Amino acid sequence: MRLSASDINDLEKRYRAALINSLSGFKPANLIGTANAQGQTNLAVISSVVHLGSNPPLFGMVQRPPVVPRHTYENILETGVYTVNHIHETIHEQAHQTSARFARDESEFDATGLTPSFVDGFAAPFVAESKIRFGMRLVRDVAIEENGTRFLIGKVEWIDIAEELLAEDGYLNIEKAGSLAITGLDGYHRSEMIGRLPYAKKDQPLQRLEDPMKGFK
Amino acid sequence: MRLSASDINDLEKRYRAALINSLSGFKPANLIGTANAQGQTNLAVISSVVHLGSNPPLFGMVQRPPVVPRHTYENILETGVYTVNHIHETIHEQAHQTSARFARDESEFDATGLTPSFVDGFAAPFVAESKIRFGMRLVRDVAIEENGTRFLIGKVEWIDIAEELLAEDGYLNIEKAGSLAITGLDGYHRSEMIGRLPYAKKDQPLQRLEDPMKGFK
């Protein structure tokens, strides 16, 4: 079936949100950890972290329009830092529950039972239960004028990972960590690896890598 | 294990690229279809399409620095349009092969055996083998000064999907379509749904949705 721009425009609001949120494919399931200047912690599910570059190590993420209080966004502006923490199957219900409407003085850590931990000198808490977490410093807050969202560009300040997840070529086996993917607004999925494919070369057949932990030479 | 900013900076270049590309979690596996003003088609794997908003329906995507010829980016600037096509397990080897270095006058469609199709009046080809594809019009080309990449903001012009994938609330069952997730630079994964979780409410336990095709009321 084909929908035109006007068909899409005419869709009921929540139906359209579900459809458009599903369109781009699987999304990374992460928790963003922040604190305000007074140390009040906050935790929020986000599915929009996107790789911008490896040297320097940069990621972007989308924040919804700050027309109502947005604790994560406000905290990042206050302290300049945030953490990204993978959501695994073992914690995904607690992670999802952070999206309920908590007050400014309630911590989603307390409300969901997830455990805040800190890296010395870094104001934002990370999630102790997550096996892959990293600290980010805000580099630039880009206004997306088209709809009022913000695109936050951040630089990786530290990485904290379980060593057994790391392949010999730097590839991180996030499937082994039990990390999840999100579809639409509310679908959670585990993964099953098909394989790693080598750097593609013209006129050369692909050779699949059977053991993802080995890495390509 | 913990890596500091200087540890990360000291990593061997390809090792760092593999690690940083793995960090953010699962990424959507898409093919970007474009054509230049003369109608020469191009197809490229991309894992950075990100949802910006549903009303208007906007997505961003990251393009690497245009310091060498970037056919996809050049074509989008020439025609103003592109398509996003889900990569399924059935076509993922062909899709990956599009990342080999083809010349400007070679089409990745011809080289990989994927089939270009067109929507009337829309210059960019879509992939006939893909079950979820949509047409985008470039709205804004944002320079990411920090590393020379471009963040392209586009608006959905049309959507073409297999009707049986659509749940009653607008959720699209991309797992049923066999769409894939990417990890790092080269890992391909199928998915297994855990469930859909309802809109979270404070002090209310979560109720999992067993049939994703039904949708929440």
Side-chain angles (χ1 to χ4, degrees):
Chain A
M1 62 185 287
R2 191 167 295 166
L3 301 172
S4 68
S6 70
D7 293 336
I8 298 166
N9 189 52
D10 290 346
L11 294 173
E12 187 272 327
K13 189 185 161 189
R14 281 168 303 180
Y15 188 100
R16 181 176 52 222
L19 176 59
I20 302 298
N21 270 282
S22 300
L23 265 191
S24 55
F26 291 99
K27 301 184 271 193
N30 287 305
L31 283 164
I32 303 299
T34 58
N36 67 10
Q38 287 72 47
Q40 171 70 44
T41 60
N42 188 279
L43 202 54
V45 175
I46 197 167
S47 63
S48 64
V49 176
V50 62
H51 178 263
L52 289 178
S54 298
N55 187 22
L58 298 175
F59 290 96
M61 72 175 178
V62 182
Q63 290 282 304
R64 294 171 70 185
V67 289
V68 298
R70 301 282 183 200
H71 303 158
T72 296
Y73 179 62
E74 291 164 16
N75 290 349
I76 293 173
L77 295 188
E78 269 187 45
T79 64
V81 293
Y82 52 105
T83 67
V84 181
N85 308 265
H86 279 216
I87 298 174
H88 312 302
E89 188 163 355
T90 45
I91 59 168
H92 81 285
E93 294 193 349
Q94 290 158 288
H96 188 77
Q97 187 62 19
T98 65
S99 60
R101 200 176 298 246
F102 294 102
R104 189 74 156 100
D105 63 354
E106 293 175 295
S107 172
E108 289 82 2
F109 281 104
D110 297 336
T112 63
L114 292 169
T115 312
S117 295
F118 289 88
V119 166
D120 270 357
F122 197 83
F126 68 82
V127 178
E129 289 82 358
S130 178
K131 289 175 193 163
I132 299 170
R133 56 258 178 136
F134 50 103
M136 298 289 293
R137 185 168 300 279
L138 180 66
V139 172
R140 196 151 53 97
D141 173 12
V142 180
I144 306 295
E145 299 143 20
E146 289 76 7
N147 66 356
T149 55
R150 315 296 303 195
F151 186 64
L152 303 189
I153 300 172
K155 182 168 179 289
V156 180
E157 293 269 301
W158 53 263
I159 297 171
D160 195 297
I161 45 179
E163 198 160 355
E164 70 269 19
L165 300 174
L166 202 51
E168 60 186 32
D169 67 343
Y171 174 84
L172 202 57
N173 195 331
I174 72 174
E175 174 165 307
K176 194 175 168 189
S179 298
L180 300 186
I182 288 177
T183 56
L185 291 161
D186 49 29
Y188 287 84
H189 307 250
R190 61 179 81 88
S191 71
E192 190 186 349
M193 181 171 256
I194 298 168
R196 293 177 64 191
L197 293 179
Y199 195 84
K201 285 180 185 149
K202 205 175 138 173
D203 307 324
Q204 267 191 27
L206 288 174
Q207 213 173 346
R208 192 177 298 282
L209 184 66
E210 296 300 334
D211 179 2
M213 297 307 277
K214 281 250 170 67
F216 292 102
K217 303 293 178 199
Chain B
M1 62 184 286
R2 191 169 293 165
L3 301 172
S4 68
S6 69
D7 293 337
I8 298 165
N9 189 52
D10 291 345
L11 293 174
E12 187 273 326
K13 189 185 160 187
R14 280 168 303 179
Y15 188 100
R16 181 177 52 222
L19 175 59
I20 302 298
N21 269 281
S22 300
L23 265 190
S24 55
F26 290 100
K27 301 185 271 194
N30 287 306
L31 282 164
I32 303 299
T34 58
N36 67 12
Q38 288 72 46
Q40 171 70 44
T41 59
N42 187 281
L43 202 54
V45 175
I46 197 166
S47 63
S48 64
V49 176
V50 62
H51 178 263
L52 288 179
S54 298
N55 187 22
L58 299 175
F59 289 95
M61 71 174 178
V62 181
Q63 290 283 303
R64 294 173 70 185
V67 288
V68 297
R70 301 280 183 203
H71 303 157
T72 296
Y73 179 63
E74 291 164 16
N75 289 349
I76 293 173
L77 295 188
E78 269 187 46
T79 65
V81 293
Y82 52 105
T83 67
V84 181
N85 308 266
H86 278 215
I87 298 175
H88 312 301
E89 188 163 357
T90 45
I91 59 169
H92 81 285
E93 295 194 347
Q94 290 159 288
H96 189 76
Q97 187 62 21
T98 65
S99 60
R101 200 177 298 248
F102 294 104
R104 189 72 157 103
D105 63 354
E106 293 175 294
S107 172
E108 289 80 3
F109 281 103
D110 297 336
T112 63
L114 292 168
T115 312
S117 295
F118 288 88
V119 166
D120 269 357
F122 196 83
F126 67 83
V127 178
E129 289 82 358
S130 178
K131 290 175 192 162
I132 299 170
R133 55 255 178 142
F134 49 102
M136 298 289 293
R137 184 168 300 279
L138 180 66
V139 172
R140 195 151 54 97
D141 173 12
V142 181
I144 305 296
E145 300 144 19
E146 289 76 8
N147 66 356
T149 56
R150 316 293 305 193
F151 186 65
L152 303 189
I153 300 173
K155 183 169 181 286
V156 180
E157 292 269 302
W158 52 263
I159 297 171
D160 195 296
I161 46 179
E163 197 160 355
E164 70 269 20
L165 301 174
L166 201 51
E168 60 186 33
D169 67 344
Y171 174 86
L172 202 57
N173 194 332
I174 71 173
E175 174 165 308
K176 194 174 167 190
S179 298
L180 300 186
I182 288 177
T183 56
L185 291 161
D186 50 28
Y188 287 84
H189 306 249
R190 60 180 81 88
S191 71
E192 191 187 347
M193 182 172 257
I194 299 168
R196 293 178 65 192
L197 292 179
Y199 195 84
K201 285 182 186 147
K202 206 174 138 174
D203 308 322
Q204 267 193 26
L206 288 173
Q207 216 174 342
R208 191 178 298 281
L209 186 66
E210 297 299 336
D211 179 1
M213 298 307 277
K214 282 251 169 68
F216 291 102
K217 301 295 178 201

